[in-house]
Short mmCIF file of all heavy atoms in Angstrom, two decimals:
data_model
loop_
_atom_site.label_atom_id
_atom_site.label_comp_id
_atom_site.label_asym_id
_atom_site.label_seq_id
_atom_site.Cartn_x
_atom_site.Cartn_y
_atom_site.Cartn_z
N LEU P 1 0.78 -1.17 -0.02
CA LEU P 1 0.02 -0.01 0.00
C LEU P 1 0.89 1.17 0.02
O LEU P 1 1.75 1.35 0.89
CB LEU P 1 -0.93 -0.01 1.27
CG LEU P 1 -1.76 1.24 1.43
CD1 LEU P 1 -2.78 1.35 0.29
CD2 LEU P 1 -2.50 1.22 2.76
N VAL P 2 0.63 2.13 -0.97
CA VAL P 2 1.50 3.33 -0.94
C VAL P 2 0.71 4.56 -0.57
O VAL P 2 1.26 5.53 -0.10
CB VAL P 2 2.02 3.57 -2.47
CG1 VAL P 2 2.98 2.45 -2.80
CG2 VAL P 2 0.94 3.69 -3.45
N ALA P 3 -0.65 4.57 -0.78
CA ALA P 3 -1.50 5.66 -0.28
C ALA P 3 -2.90 5.16 -0.11
O ALA P 3 -3.40 4.32 -0.93
CB ALA P 3 -1.41 6.77 -1.36
N GLY P 4 -3.57 5.75 0.78
CA GLY P 4 -4.91 5.36 1.13
C GLY P 4 -5.69 6.56 1.61
O GLY P 4 -5.24 7.55 2.17
N ILE P 5 -6.98 6.47 1.46
CA ILE P 5 -7.86 7.50 1.92
C ILE P 5 -9.15 6.82 2.38
O ILE P 5 -9.71 5.93 1.81
CB ILE P 5 -8.23 8.57 0.84
CG1 ILE P 5 -9.11 9.71 1.36
CG2 ILE P 5 -8.84 7.92 -0.38
CD1 ILE P 5 -9.19 10.83 0.52
N THR P 6 -9.62 7.22 3.69
CA THR P 6 -10.78 6.62 4.25
C THR P 6 -12.09 7.36 3.75
O THR P 6 -11.96 8.38 3.13
CB THR P 6 -10.68 6.72 5.78
OG1 THR P 6 -10.80 8.10 6.15
CG2 THR P 6 -9.49 6.18 6.32
N SER P 7 -13.14 6.75 4.08
CA SER P 7 -14.43 7.39 3.70
C SER P 7 -14.57 8.81 4.27
O SER P 7 -15.27 9.65 3.73
CB SER P 7 -15.57 6.53 4.16
OG SER P 7 -15.58 6.38 5.56
N GLY P 8 -13.95 8.93 5.41
CA GLY P 8 -14.00 10.34 6.04
C GLY P 8 -12.92 11.34 5.52
O GLY P 8 -12.93 12.51 5.91
N GLY P 9 -12.06 10.94 4.62
CA GLY P 9 -11.08 11.69 4.04
C GLY P 9 -9.72 11.71 4.61
O GLY P 9 -8.85 12.44 4.18
N SER P 10 -9.49 10.92 5.61
CA SER P 10 -8.16 10.78 6.21
C SER P 10 -7.29 10.04 5.28
O SER P 10 -7.67 9.10 4.66
CB SER P 10 -8.15 10.06 7.60
OG SER P 10 -8.95 10.84 8.48
N THR P 11 -6.04 10.56 5.13
CA THR P 11 -5.05 9.96 4.23
C THR P 11 -3.84 9.38 4.97
O THR P 11 -3.53 9.74 6.07
CB THR P 11 -4.56 10.97 3.22
OG1 THR P 11 -3.96 12.11 3.88
CG2 THR P 11 -5.73 11.49 2.35
N ASN P 12 -3.28 8.35 4.28
CA ASN P 12 -2.13 7.78 4.85
C ASN P 12 -1.18 7.30 3.71
O ASN P 12 -1.71 6.91 2.64
CB ASN P 12 -2.54 6.47 5.65
CG ASN P 12 -1.29 5.88 6.32
OD1 ASN P 12 -0.67 6.47 7.19
ND2 ASN P 12 -0.98 4.58 6.11
N TYR P 13 0.05 7.48 3.87
CA TYR P 13 1.14 7.10 2.95
C TYR P 13 2.23 6.28 3.46
O TYR P 13 2.58 6.36 4.53
CB TYR P 13 1.72 8.44 2.36
CG TYR P 13 0.68 9.43 1.76
CD1 TYR P 13 0.08 10.35 2.51
CD2 TYR P 13 0.34 9.26 0.41
CE1 TYR P 13 -0.87 11.31 1.99
CE2 TYR P 13 -0.59 10.14 -0.19
CZ TYR P 13 -1.19 11.21 0.56
OH TYR P 13 -2.14 11.96 0.05
N ALA P 14 2.72 5.52 2.58
CA ALA P 14 3.94 4.70 2.88
C ALA P 14 5.10 5.79 3.07
O ALA P 14 5.10 6.76 2.50
CB ALA P 14 4.35 3.85 1.78
N ASP P 15 5.98 5.41 4.02
CA ASP P 15 7.05 6.32 4.26
C ASP P 15 7.85 6.72 3.05
O ASP P 15 8.41 7.82 2.90
CB ASP P 15 8.03 5.65 5.34
CG ASP P 15 7.41 5.73 6.71
OD1 ASP P 15 6.48 6.43 6.92
OD2 ASP P 15 7.90 4.84 7.61
N SER P 16 8.08 5.76 2.16
CA SER P 16 8.74 5.98 1.00
C SER P 16 8.25 6.95 0.01
O SER P 16 8.88 7.44 -0.86
CB SER P 16 9.01 4.65 0.19
OG SER P 16 7.74 4.06 -0.20
N VAL P 17 6.94 7.28 0.12
CA VAL P 17 6.33 8.28 -0.84
C VAL P 17 5.74 9.58 -0.15
O VAL P 17 5.37 10.47 -0.84
CB VAL P 17 5.15 7.57 -1.61
CG1 VAL P 17 5.68 6.28 -2.31
CG2 VAL P 17 3.97 7.33 -0.69
N LYS P 18 5.96 9.56 1.13
CA LYS P 18 5.40 10.77 1.87
C LYS P 18 6.11 12.05 1.37
O LYS P 18 7.34 12.10 1.14
CB LYS P 18 5.64 10.67 3.38
CG LYS P 18 4.75 9.71 4.08
CD LYS P 18 5.06 9.62 5.57
CE LYS P 18 4.10 8.70 6.16
NZ LYS P 18 4.36 8.52 7.79
N GLY P 19 5.28 13.06 1.14
CA GLY P 19 5.81 14.33 0.64
C GLY P 19 5.83 14.36 -0.84
O GLY P 19 6.15 15.43 -1.39
N ARG P 20 5.84 13.22 -1.50
CA ARG P 20 5.86 13.09 -2.94
C ARG P 20 4.58 12.78 -3.63
O ARG P 20 4.28 13.22 -4.77
CB ARG P 20 7.01 12.26 -3.43
CG ARG P 20 8.37 12.60 -2.82
CD ARG P 20 9.40 11.64 -3.44
NE ARG P 20 9.15 10.26 -3.10
CZ ARG P 20 8.98 9.30 -3.99
NH1 ARG P 20 8.98 9.50 -5.23
NH2 ARG P 20 8.85 8.03 -3.54
N PHE P 21 3.81 11.85 -3.02
CA PHE P 21 2.52 11.39 -3.57
C PHE P 21 1.30 11.98 -2.84
O PHE P 21 1.42 12.26 -1.60
CB PHE P 21 2.44 9.86 -3.54
CG PHE P 21 3.44 9.06 -4.35
CD1 PHE P 21 4.42 9.85 -5.04
CD2 PHE P 21 3.18 7.79 -4.58
CE1 PHE P 21 5.38 9.05 -5.86
CE2 PHE P 21 4.08 7.05 -5.36
CZ PHE P 21 5.18 7.70 -6.04
N THR P 22 0.29 12.22 -3.55
CA THR P 22 -0.90 12.66 -2.99
C THR P 22 -2.10 11.88 -3.57
O THR P 22 -2.36 11.86 -4.82
CB THR P 22 -1.21 14.16 -3.26
OG1 THR P 22 -0.04 14.96 -2.83
CG2 THR P 22 -2.46 14.67 -2.58
N ILE P 23 -2.94 11.43 -2.69
CA ILE P 23 -4.11 10.62 -3.03
C ILE P 23 -5.32 11.51 -2.97
O ILE P 23 -5.38 12.30 -1.92
CB ILE P 23 -4.32 9.32 -2.33
CG1 ILE P 23 -5.52 8.49 -2.91
CG2 ILE P 23 -4.55 9.53 -0.79
CD1 ILE P 23 -5.68 7.13 -2.24
N SER P 24 -6.22 11.49 -3.92
CA SER P 24 -7.35 12.40 -3.84
C SER P 24 -8.55 11.65 -4.47
O SER P 24 -8.29 10.69 -5.18
CB SER P 24 -7.12 13.81 -4.49
OG SER P 24 -6.84 13.57 -5.80
N ARG P 25 -9.75 12.17 -4.33
CA ARG P 25 -10.85 11.52 -4.91
C ARG P 25 -11.81 12.63 -5.44
O ARG P 25 -11.81 13.73 -4.96
CB ARG P 25 -11.59 10.66 -3.96
CG ARG P 25 -12.21 11.37 -2.71
CD ARG P 25 -12.65 10.50 -1.68
NE ARG P 25 -13.21 11.17 -0.60
CZ ARG P 25 -13.37 10.65 0.63
NH1 ARG P 25 -13.08 9.33 0.88
NH2 ARG P 25 -13.88 11.37 1.70
N ASP P 26 -12.63 12.20 -6.45
CA ASP P 26 -13.75 13.10 -6.93
C ASP P 26 -14.97 12.20 -6.99
O ASP P 26 -15.12 11.49 -7.88
CB ASP P 26 -13.40 13.56 -8.32
CG ASP P 26 -14.50 14.63 -8.81
OD1 ASP P 26 -15.51 14.56 -8.37
OD2 ASP P 26 -14.06 15.45 -9.69
N ASN P 27 -15.80 12.26 -5.96
CA ASN P 27 -16.89 11.41 -5.73
C ASN P 27 -17.90 11.62 -6.93
O ASN P 27 -18.54 10.57 -7.36
CB ASN P 27 -17.63 11.69 -4.45
CG ASN P 27 -16.81 11.27 -3.29
OD1 ASN P 27 -15.94 10.42 -3.36
ND2 ASN P 27 -17.05 11.84 -2.20
N ALA P 28 -18.06 12.82 -7.44
CA ALA P 28 -19.01 13.04 -8.49
C ALA P 28 -18.57 12.36 -9.75
O ALA P 28 -19.44 11.97 -10.58
CB ALA P 28 -19.09 14.53 -8.83
N LYS P 29 -17.34 12.12 -9.91
CA LYS P 29 -16.79 11.44 -11.10
C LYS P 29 -16.48 9.93 -10.86
O LYS P 29 -15.90 9.20 -11.78
CB LYS P 29 -15.58 12.12 -11.66
CG LYS P 29 -15.89 13.57 -12.14
CD LYS P 29 -14.64 14.19 -12.81
CE LYS P 29 -14.91 15.55 -13.26
NZ LYS P 29 -13.65 16.24 -13.76
N ASN P 30 -16.68 9.46 -9.70
CA ASN P 30 -16.36 8.14 -9.28
C ASN P 30 -14.93 7.84 -9.57
O ASN P 30 -14.57 6.71 -10.06
CB ASN P 30 -17.28 7.12 -10.02
CG ASN P 30 -18.70 7.33 -9.75
OD1 ASN P 30 -19.11 7.64 -8.62
ND2 ASN P 30 -19.47 7.09 -10.76
N THR P 31 -14.02 8.76 -9.14
CA THR P 31 -12.67 8.61 -9.57
C THR P 31 -11.71 8.89 -8.33
O THR P 31 -12.03 9.76 -7.47
CB THR P 31 -12.31 9.58 -10.69
OG1 THR P 31 -13.15 9.37 -11.80
CG2 THR P 31 -10.83 9.51 -11.12
N VAL P 32 -10.73 8.09 -8.27
CA VAL P 32 -9.64 8.31 -7.29
C VAL P 32 -8.29 8.53 -8.07
O VAL P 32 -8.17 7.88 -9.13
CB VAL P 32 -9.51 7.16 -6.28
CG1 VAL P 32 -9.20 5.87 -7.03
CG2 VAL P 32 -8.51 7.41 -5.21
N TYR P 33 -7.56 9.42 -7.60
CA TYR P 33 -6.32 9.88 -8.19
C TYR P 33 -5.05 9.61 -7.34
O TYR P 33 -5.24 9.58 -6.09
CB TYR P 33 -6.32 11.33 -8.59
CG TYR P 33 -7.50 11.79 -9.48
CD1 TYR P 33 -8.62 12.34 -8.79
CD2 TYR P 33 -7.48 11.75 -10.79
CE1 TYR P 33 -9.62 12.80 -9.55
CE2 TYR P 33 -8.62 12.11 -11.58
CZ TYR P 33 -9.60 12.66 -10.95
OH TYR P 33 -10.71 13.06 -11.76
N LEU P 34 -4.00 9.48 -8.00
CA LEU P 34 -2.73 9.42 -7.38
C LEU P 34 -1.78 10.38 -7.99
O LEU P 34 -1.32 10.04 -9.08
CB LEU P 34 -2.14 8.01 -7.23
CG LEU P 34 -0.85 7.89 -6.39
CD1 LEU P 34 -1.06 8.27 -4.91
CD2 LEU P 34 -0.25 6.57 -6.55
N GLN P 35 -1.41 11.55 -7.45
CA GLN P 35 -0.56 12.43 -8.01
C GLN P 35 0.89 12.05 -7.50
O GLN P 35 1.12 12.00 -6.31
CB GLN P 35 -0.89 13.88 -7.56
CG GLN P 35 0.14 14.91 -8.15
CD GLN P 35 0.10 15.00 -9.57
OE1 GLN P 35 -0.94 15.12 -10.18
NE2 GLN P 35 1.20 15.05 -10.35
N MET P 36 1.74 11.80 -8.42
CA MET P 36 3.02 11.31 -8.05
C MET P 36 4.14 12.35 -8.67
O MET P 36 4.23 12.58 -9.85
CB MET P 36 3.39 9.93 -8.68
CG MET P 36 2.30 8.91 -8.27
SD MET P 36 2.81 7.24 -8.89
CE MET P 36 2.65 7.53 -10.65
N ASN P 37 4.84 12.95 -7.71
CA ASN P 37 5.80 14.02 -8.00
C ASN P 37 7.17 13.47 -7.57
O ASN P 37 7.32 12.55 -6.70
CB ASN P 37 5.50 15.31 -7.31
CG ASN P 37 4.26 15.95 -7.78
OD1 ASN P 37 3.79 15.81 -8.97
ND2 ASN P 37 3.53 16.54 -6.84
N SER P 38 8.25 14.10 -8.12
CA SER P 38 9.52 13.83 -7.72
C SER P 38 9.84 12.21 -7.80
O SER P 38 10.34 11.61 -6.88
CB SER P 38 9.89 14.30 -6.37
OG SER P 38 9.73 15.72 -6.23
N LEU P 39 9.43 11.73 -8.85
CA LEU P 39 9.46 10.29 -9.06
C LEU P 39 10.99 9.71 -9.00
O LEU P 39 11.77 10.45 -9.53
CB LEU P 39 8.77 9.82 -10.31
CG LEU P 39 7.25 9.76 -10.20
CD1 LEU P 39 6.62 9.66 -11.54
CD2 LEU P 39 6.78 8.52 -9.37
N LYS P 40 11.06 8.58 -8.44
CA LYS P 40 12.43 7.88 -8.31
C LYS P 40 12.39 6.59 -8.99
O LYS P 40 11.30 6.04 -9.13
CB LYS P 40 12.79 7.76 -6.89
CG LYS P 40 12.80 9.00 -6.05
CD LYS P 40 13.03 8.66 -4.57
CE LYS P 40 12.99 9.97 -3.67
NZ LYS P 40 13.23 9.56 -2.29
N PRO P 41 13.47 6.03 -9.43
CA PRO P 41 13.61 4.71 -10.03
C PRO P 41 12.92 3.67 -9.14
O PRO P 41 12.27 2.71 -9.67
CB PRO P 41 14.98 4.45 -10.30
CG PRO P 41 15.60 5.80 -10.46
CD PRO P 41 14.78 6.73 -9.55
N GLU P 42 13.01 3.84 -7.83
CA GLU P 42 12.44 2.93 -6.81
C GLU P 42 10.91 2.90 -6.89
O GLU P 42 10.37 1.99 -6.40
CB GLU P 42 12.91 3.28 -5.45
CG GLU P 42 14.38 3.28 -5.26
CD GLU P 42 14.99 4.66 -5.42
OE1 GLU P 42 15.18 5.09 -6.61
OE2 GLU P 42 15.21 5.36 -4.36
N ASP P 43 10.28 3.86 -7.59
CA ASP P 43 8.85 3.89 -7.66
C ASP P 43 8.33 3.02 -8.86
O ASP P 43 7.22 2.91 -8.98
CB ASP P 43 8.42 5.36 -7.89
CG ASP P 43 8.67 6.20 -6.75
OD1 ASP P 43 8.47 5.80 -5.52
OD2 ASP P 43 9.07 7.39 -6.94
#
């Protein structure tokens, strides 16, 4: 697990991606996103 979001909106990230990845959702579009910045080969 690299990123998660609860029904209440709380987020959690693996230590390896903290500060670089962001999980978000758009309920109206039935979509969840993962924004990944500062990508590394380890990703």
